[in-house]
Amino acid sequence: MTRIALDPFVTDLDGESARLLAAGPLAEAELPGGVPVWAVTHHAEARQLLTDKRLVKDIEVWGAWRRGEIPADWPLIGLANPGRSMLTVDGEEHRRMRTLVAQALTPRRVEQLRGRITDLTHGLLDKLPTAEVVDLKAEFAYPLPMYVISDLMGIDAADHPRLKVLFDKFFSTQTPPQEVVATLGELAAMMGKVVAARRAEPGDDLTSALIQASENGDHLTDEEIVSTLQLMVAAGHETTISLIVNAVVNLCAHPEQRAMVLSGQVGWDAVIEETLRYSTPTSHVLIRFAAEDVPVGDKVIPKGDALIVSYGAIGRDERAHGPTAAAFDITRTSPTRHISFGHGPHVCPGAALSRLEAGVALPALYERFPGLMLAVPHEELRHKPVVTQNDLYELPVRLNYSPSGD
């Protein structure tokens, strides 16, 4: 069977997802750089594999890594080997780290952010220029989650411009090899600076809470806190950016559904959940490794091979979401709930925060600008060269669009 090479430039994400889905529940795929992997592409099999203890996060299980076939300057190495955190450990160690993180990222702490998110949202909307084309991603969808996650983690806003540069390089398939290791080192150093500052002067932030969290006298190490901080900042802003951007794109493409939301016929929760399913912010999650042979239907993931979770394909699985799975429909009564934030032990701990941010930002945006429309044809929107994220370079819109020209 021919491997499906994931496009490093992401020129046709929908087409790629369709090809992966058509290849069956377990597809042979290839990451940029010629790295072979298996991809789970169907909903039921994904749920099964995401709870299978034979698939682990320890990169030392990966045969290609042990054989030296994965270079240290591979552009995606920061996603495959991001340092010791709850993302990269399993079993008892994962439970330990997740428990300590959960002590810091409580539902109460997330809900306490609602007022701050509301204030930030209206402040950003107040600054939008309304008489011209606006890049809604740069002016609204990006700064909102970056400010929120920075507030949550105790990161200085002065670091935002440099963090944007570094995270763009971190996720991109096009980062020059000579910059990969330096980027990872600088990100770790910036996160280390935050941890050191919070150790010296604890505050009402999640980094301070992570430092203070303990279970039976057990604390996270500085290395674990730094890696956890980097993980949560990366996932905490990128996912929400894409969720907001993709919701706007979908509503622009379906004005009849936008009208249903603005009239109150359908709630914003439906927009958010359908966007998460149909335009999932995370197109592929890297990476799990088979500690032993893992049968999946009539195929087998051999011991030592790698698996990615292709959420872009999974969200379009007709067996889970019905015959109209390839359509955006906020009135959908799907037989199955999407798993775009993951499933099993490694389900995204920031899902509630992302939903909260979108649940505040989108209603406020459309209350202020109910007629906003894309300023370019849909097909001219450009995806960033990021195989793991459903992410656009920009989102040009006209905020006060009127079809009559008023």
Side-chain angles (χ1 to χ4, degrees):
M1 181 178 177
T2 303
R3 287 187 193 138
I4 298 173
L6 303 188
D7 178 8
F9 296 100
V10 197
T11 54
D12 181 17
L13 183 57
D14 284 345
E16 180 177 276
S17 295
R19 289 189 294 276
L20 287 166
L21 191 60
L26 190 66
E28 293 187 57
E30 185 176 285
L31 293 172
V35 176
V37 294
W38 296 91
V40 59
T41 65
H42 288 195
H43 182 97
E45 286 76 10
R47 284 176 59 91
Q48 169 195 336
L49 293 177
L50 287 169
T51 56
D52 194 318
K53 294 181 180 179
R54 295 170 295 183
L55 288 160
V56 300
K57 290 300 198 80
D58 182 1
I59 196 170
E60 297 300 331
V61 173
W62 193 9
W65 174 261
R66 293 198 316 271
R67 294 189 296 269
E69 297 167 6
I70 309 299
D73 58 3
W74 182 44
L76 300 180
I77 193 63
L79 294 163
N81 190 28
R84 183 176 172 79
S85 73
M86 63 183 180
L87 181 68
T88 56
V89 295
D90 298 284
E92 183 59 28
E93 274 298 279
H94 176 263
R95 188 206 63 78
R96 164 189 165 262
M97 295 180 71
R98 182 125 186 163
T99 297
L100 293 171
V101 170
Q103 289 181 23
L105 188 62
T106 62
R108 180 172 176 268
R109 182 183 289 272
V110 171
E111 183 57 34
Q112 285 175 337
L113 291 170
R114 183 181 294 275
R116 174 63 171 154
I117 293 169
T118 300
D119 291 344
L120 285 169
T121 295
H122 288 288
L124 290 168
L125 292 175
D126 288 343
K127 296 177 183 177
L128 290 179
T130 59
E132 57 190 56
V133 173
V134 174
D135 180 356
L136 195 64
K137 179 183 176 183
E139 302 295 333
F140 182 66
Y142 171 79
L144 175 61
M146 181 52 90
Y147 275 120
V148 171
I149 199 68
S150 295
D151 279 0
L152 181 64
M153 306 307 296
I155 295 173
D156 194 322
D159 289 332
H160 288 184
R162 187 57 186 165
L163 282 173
K164 183 180 187 306
V165 171
L166 292 173
F167 278 119
D168 280 347
K169 291 181 178 181
F170 176 83
F171 284 107
S172 177
T173 63
Q174 302 306 301
T175 300
Q178 64 272 20
E179 296 182 17
V180 171
V181 175
T183 296
L184 296 176
E186 188 175 349
L187 271 172
M190 290 188 73
M191 298 301 122
K193 182 183 74 172
V194 175
V195 173
R198 298 285 74 78
R199 273 203 187 280
E201 294 185 31
D204 184 22
D205 55 75
L206 189 53
T207 301
S208 297
L210 288 172
I211 292 169
Q212 296 161 10
S214 68
E215 184 186 25
N216 299 323
D218 181 25
H219 294 265
L220 293 169
T221 66
D222 275 10
E223 177 192 357
E224 291 167 342
I225 296 171
V226 166
S227 294
T228 299
L229 179 57
Q230 180 172 314
L231 161 68
M232 297 188 74
V233 174
H237 80 281
E238 284 287 344
T239 298
T240 308
I241 293 167
S242 296
L243 174 54
I244 294 171
V245 166
N246 292 336
V248 171
V249 170
N250 289 330
L251 291 178
C252 287
H254 300 86
E256 74 290 349
Q257 296 190 47
R258 180 186 63 194
M260 295 171 69
V261 181
L262 297 185
S263 69
Q265 185 179 346
V266 178
W268 282 103
D269 284 353
V271 176
I272 291 168
E273 297 308 316
E274 181 66 351
T275 298
L276 287 167
R277 180 201 70 84
Y278 176 78
S279 305
T280 178
T282 306
S283 44
H284 306 282
V285 165
L286 279 54
I287 198 165
R288 286 167 168 78
F289 313 104
E292 57 184 273
D293 290 354
V294 181
V296 182
D298 59 356
K299 297 180 181 177
V300 174
I301 306 171
K303 179 180 178 179
D305 276 13
L307 174 78
I308 65 172
V309 185
S310 294
Y311 287 107
I314 291 165
R316 308 290 181 91
D317 184 359
E318 292 186 1
R319 294 184 307 167
H321 304 294
T324 62
F328 179 79
D329 181 6
I330 60 175
T331 67
R332 179 181 307 281
T333 54
S334 173
T336 306
R337 184 176 175 83
H338 70 77
I339 56 169
S340 295
F341 280 121
H343 176 69
H346 287 280
V347 67
C348 177
L353 178 59
S354 187
R355 285 186 168 106
L356 174 59
E357 290 179 68
V360 171
L362 289 168
L365 173 66
Y366 278 90
E367 181 179 6
R368 191 84 63 98
F369 307 109
L372 79 83
M373 287 296 292
L374 294 181
V376 299
H378 186 280
E379 57 271 18
E380 291 184 14
L381 295 174
R382 304 180 303 147
H383 275 88
K384 294 176 71 173
V386 179
V387 297
T388 56
Q389 304 296 125
N390 185 357
D391 194 9
L392 298 178
Y393 274 108
E394 65 278 305
L395 182 61
V397 301
R398 297 186 187 278
L399 295 172
N400 290 317
Y401 174 81
S402 171
S404 64
D406 295 340

Short mmCIF file of all heavy atoms in Angstrom, two decimals, residues 194-227:
data_model
loop_
_atom_site.label_atom_id
_atom_site.label_comp_id
_atom_site.label_asym_id
_atom_site.label_seq_id
_atom_site.Cartn_x
_atom_site.Cartn_y
_atom_site.Cartn_z
N VAL A 194 10.77 32.10 33.50
CA VAL A 194 9.48 32.28 34.17
C VAL A 194 9.44 31.47 35.47
O VAL A 194 9.01 31.97 36.52
CB VAL A 194 8.32 31.86 33.24
CG1 VAL A 194 6.98 31.93 33.97
CG2 VAL A 194 8.29 32.74 32.00
N VAL A 195 9.89 30.21 35.41
CA VAL A 195 9.87 29.36 36.59
C VAL A 195 10.76 29.95 37.69
O VAL A 195 10.36 30.01 38.87
CB VAL A 195 10.33 27.93 36.23
CG1 VAL A 195 10.46 27.07 37.49
CG2 VAL A 195 9.33 27.29 35.26
N ALA A 196 11.94 30.42 37.31
CA ALA A 196 12.85 31.00 38.31
C ALA A 196 12.23 32.24 38.95
O ALA A 196 12.33 32.44 40.17
CB ALA A 196 14.18 31.36 37.64
N ALA A 197 11.57 33.06 38.14
CA ALA A 197 10.95 34.27 38.67
C ALA A 197 9.81 33.94 39.64
O ALA A 197 9.66 34.59 40.69
CB ALA A 197 10.43 35.13 37.52
N ARG A 198 9.04 32.91 39.31
CA ARG A 198 7.92 32.54 40.18
C ARG A 198 8.40 31.84 41.44
O ARG A 198 7.74 31.90 42.48
CB ARG A 198 6.93 31.67 39.41
CG ARG A 198 6.27 32.33 38.21
CD ARG A 198 5.19 33.35 38.60
NE ARG A 198 5.70 34.60 39.13
CZ ARG A 198 6.21 35.58 38.37
NH1 ARG A 198 6.30 35.44 37.05
NH2 ARG A 198 6.64 36.69 38.92
N ARG A 199 9.53 31.16 41.35
CA ARG A 199 10.10 30.58 42.58
C ARG A 199 10.55 31.70 43.53
O ARG A 199 10.37 31.61 44.74
CB ARG A 199 11.30 29.69 42.24
CG ARG A 199 10.94 28.27 41.91
CD ARG A 199 12.11 27.32 42.13
NE ARG A 199 11.81 25.99 41.65
CZ ARG A 199 11.09 25.11 42.31
NH1 ARG A 199 10.58 25.42 43.49
NH2 ARG A 199 10.87 23.91 41.80
N ALA A 200 11.14 32.73 42.95
CA ALA A 200 11.63 33.84 43.76
C ALA A 200 10.49 34.67 44.33
O ALA A 200 10.53 35.10 45.49
CB ALA A 200 12.55 34.73 42.93
N GLU A 201 9.45 34.89 43.50
CA GLU A 201 8.30 35.69 43.92
C GLU A 201 7.02 35.01 43.44
O GLU A 201 6.50 35.32 42.37
CB GLU A 201 8.38 37.10 43.34
CG GLU A 201 9.54 37.93 43.88
CD GLU A 201 9.49 39.36 43.36
OE1 GLU A 201 8.37 39.87 43.13
OE2 GLU A 201 10.56 39.96 43.18
N PRO A 202 6.49 34.07 44.22
CA PRO A 202 5.26 33.39 43.81
C PRO A 202 4.11 34.38 43.63
O PRO A 202 4.03 35.40 44.32
CB PRO A 202 4.98 32.43 44.98
CG PRO A 202 6.30 32.27 45.66
CD PRO A 202 7.01 33.58 45.49
N GLY A 203 3.26 34.07 42.67
CA GLY A 203 2.11 34.92 42.41
C GLY A 203 0.85 34.08 42.29
O GLY A 203 0.85 32.87 42.53
N ASP A 204 -0.23 34.73 41.90
CA ASP A 204 -1.50 34.03 41.70
C ASP A 204 -1.58 33.55 40.25
O ASP A 204 -2.40 34.01 39.45
CB ASP A 204 -2.67 34.96 42.03
CG ASP A 204 -4.02 34.24 41.93
OD1 ASP A 204 -4.02 33.00 42.04
OD2 ASP A 204 -5.04 34.92 41.73
N ASP A 205 -0.69 32.65 39.88
CA ASP A 205 -0.62 32.16 38.51
C ASP A 205 -0.36 30.66 38.54
O ASP A 205 -0.02 30.09 39.58
CB ASP A 205 0.49 32.88 37.73
CG ASP A 205 1.84 32.78 38.42
OD1 ASP A 205 2.45 31.71 38.35
OD2 ASP A 205 2.28 33.77 39.04
N LEU A 206 -0.52 30.03 37.37
CA LEU A 206 -0.43 28.57 37.30
C LEU A 206 1.00 28.07 37.49
O LEU A 206 1.21 26.99 38.05
CB LEU A 206 -0.99 28.09 35.96
CG LEU A 206 -1.17 26.58 35.79
CD1 LEU A 206 -1.99 26.00 36.92
CD2 LEU A 206 -1.82 26.27 34.46
N THR A 207 1.98 28.83 37.05
CA THR A 207 3.37 28.40 37.25
C THR A 207 3.68 28.34 38.74
O THR A 207 4.28 27.37 39.23
CB THR A 207 4.35 29.36 36.54
OG1 THR A 207 4.05 29.37 35.15
CG2 THR A 207 5.77 28.91 36.73
N SER A 208 3.26 29.35 39.49
CA SER A 208 3.45 29.32 40.95
C SER A 208 2.71 28.14 41.56
O SER A 208 3.22 27.46 42.46
CB SER A 208 2.96 30.63 41.57
OG SER A 208 3.71 31.73 41.10
N ALA A 209 1.50 27.88 41.06
CA ALA A 209 0.72 26.76 41.58
C ALA A 209 1.38 25.42 41.26
O ALA A 209 1.36 24.50 42.08
CB ALA A 209 -0.69 26.79 41.01
N LEU A 210 1.99 25.30 40.07
CA LEU A 210 2.70 24.08 39.71
C LEU A 210 3.90 23.86 40.63
O LEU A 210 4.21 22.74 41.03
CB LEU A 210 3.16 24.13 38.26
CG LEU A 210 2.08 23.98 37.18
CD1 LEU A 210 2.67 24.26 35.80
CD2 LEU A 210 1.46 22.59 37.21
N ILE A 211 4.59 24.94 40.95
CA ILE A 211 5.75 24.85 41.84
C ILE A 211 5.31 24.39 43.23
O ILE A 211 5.98 23.58 43.89
CB ILE A 211 6.47 26.21 41.93
CG1 ILE A 211 7.12 26.55 40.58
CG2 ILE A 211 7.52 26.21 43.05
CD1 ILE A 211 7.63 27.98 40.48
N GLN A 212 4.16 24.88 43.66
CA GLN A 212 3.70 24.59 45.01
C GLN A 212 2.92 23.28 45.12
O GLN A 212 2.79 22.72 46.22
CB GLN A 212 2.81 25.74 45.50
CG GLN A 212 3.55 27.06 45.64
CD GLN A 212 2.62 28.26 45.66
OE1 GLN A 212 1.41 28.11 45.76
NE2 GLN A 212 3.19 29.45 45.55
N ALA A 213 2.42 22.77 43.98
CA ALA A 213 1.59 21.56 44.01
C ALA A 213 2.40 20.37 44.52
O ALA A 213 3.57 20.21 44.21
CB ALA A 213 1.06 21.26 42.61
N SER A 214 1.75 19.55 45.30
CA SER A 214 2.41 18.35 45.80
C SER A 214 1.39 17.26 46.03
O SER A 214 0.20 17.52 46.24
CB SER A 214 3.17 18.64 47.10
OG SER A 214 2.25 18.91 48.15
N GLU A 215 1.87 16.03 45.99
CA GLU A 215 1.04 14.87 46.31
C GLU A 215 1.88 13.96 47.21
O GLU A 215 2.91 13.43 46.78
CB GLU A 215 0.63 14.12 45.05
CG GLU A 215 -0.31 12.96 45.34
CD GLU A 215 -0.60 12.13 44.09
OE1 GLU A 215 0.22 12.12 43.17
OE2 GLU A 215 -1.66 11.49 44.08
N ASN A 216 1.45 13.84 48.45
CA ASN A 216 2.22 13.05 49.43
C ASN A 216 3.66 13.51 49.51
O ASN A 216 4.61 12.70 49.57
CB ASN A 216 2.15 11.56 49.06
CG ASN A 216 0.73 11.03 49.07
OD1 ASN A 216 -0.08 11.41 49.92
ND2 ASN A 216 0.42 10.15 48.13
N GLY A 217 3.85 14.82 49.46
CA GLY A 217 5.19 15.38 49.55
C GLY A 217 5.97 15.39 48.26
O GLY A 217 7.12 15.85 48.22
N ASP A 218 5.37 14.90 47.17
CA ASP A 218 6.04 14.82 45.88
C ASP A 218 5.76 16.10 45.08
O ASP A 218 4.62 16.52 44.96
CB ASP A 218 5.53 13.61 45.10
CG ASP A 218 6.21 13.46 43.76
OD1 ASP A 218 7.34 13.95 43.60
OD2 ASP A 218 5.59 12.86 42.85
N HIS A 219 6.81 16.72 44.55
CA HIS A 219 6.67 17.93 43.75
C HIS A 219 7.20 17.69 42.34
O HIS A 219 8.02 16.80 42.11
CB HIS A 219 7.48 19.09 44.39
CG HIS A 219 6.96 19.53 45.71
ND1 HIS A 219 6.09 20.58 45.87
CD2 HIS A 219 7.19 19.04 46.96
CE1 HIS A 219 5.81 20.73 47.15
NE2 HIS A 219 6.47 19.81 47.84
N LEU A 220 6.73 18.50 41.39
CA LEU A 220 7.30 18.49 40.06
C LEU A 220 8.72 19.06 40.11
O LEU A 220 8.99 20.01 40.85
CB LEU A 220 6.45 19.32 39.10
CG LEU A 220 5.04 18.81 38.78
CD1 LEU A 220 4.25 19.87 38.05
CD2 LEU A 220 5.09 17.53 37.98
N THR A 221 9.61 18.50 39.33
CA THR A 221 10.96 19.06 39.23
C THR A 221 10.92 20.30 38.33
O THR A 221 9.96 20.52 37.59
CB THR A 221 11.93 18.03 38.62
OG1 THR A 221 11.56 17.80 37.25
CG2 THR A 221 11.90 16.72 39.39
N ASP A 222 11.99 21.09 38.38
CA ASP A 222 12.06 22.27 37.51
C ASP A 222 11.99 21.87 36.04
O ASP A 222 11.35 22.55 35.23
CB ASP A 222 13.35 23.05 37.78
CG ASP A 222 13.19 24.03 38.94
OD1 ASP A 222 12.16 23.96 39.63
OD2 ASP A 222 14.09 24.87 39.14
N GLU A 223 12.67 20.76 35.69
CA GLU A 223 12.62 20.29 34.30
C GLU A 223 11.18 19.97 33.90
O GLU A 223 10.73 20.33 32.80
CB GLU A 223 13.49 19.05 34.13
CG GLU A 223 13.42 18.45 32.72
CD GLU A 223 14.05 17.06 32.62
OE1 GLU A 223 14.58 16.57 33.63
OE2 GLU A 223 13.99 16.48 31.52
N GLU A 224 10.45 19.30 34.78
CA GLU A 224 9.06 18.94 34.49
C GLU A 224 8.18 20.18 34.39
O GLU A 224 7.28 20.26 33.54
CB GLU A 224 8.54 17.98 35.56
CG GLU A 224 9.20 16.61 35.50
CD GLU A 224 8.91 15.77 36.74
OE1 GLU A 224 8.51 16.34 37.78
OE2 GLU A 224 9.11 14.54 36.67
N ILE A 225 8.42 21.17 35.26
CA ILE A 225 7.62 22.39 35.22
C ILE A 225 7.91 23.17 33.94
O ILE A 225 6.99 23.68 33.30
CB ILE A 225 7.89 23.26 36.47
CG1 ILE A 225 7.44 22.53 37.73
CG2 ILE A 225 7.16 24.60 36.36
CD1 ILE A 225 7.85 23.21 39.01
N VAL A 226 9.17 23.28 33.55
CA VAL A 226 9.53 23.99 32.33
C VAL A 226 8.87 23.33 31.12
O VAL A 226 8.28 24.02 30.27
CB VAL A 226 11.07 24.03 32.16
CG1 VAL A 226 11.45 24.46 30.74
CG2 VAL A 226 11.68 24.99 33.17
N SER A 227 8.95 22.01 31.02
CA SER A 227 8.35 21.30 29.88
C SER A 227 6.83 21.43 29.90
O SER A 227 6.19 21.60 28.86
CB SER A 227 8.76 19.83 29.89
OG SER A 227 10.14 19.68 29.68
#
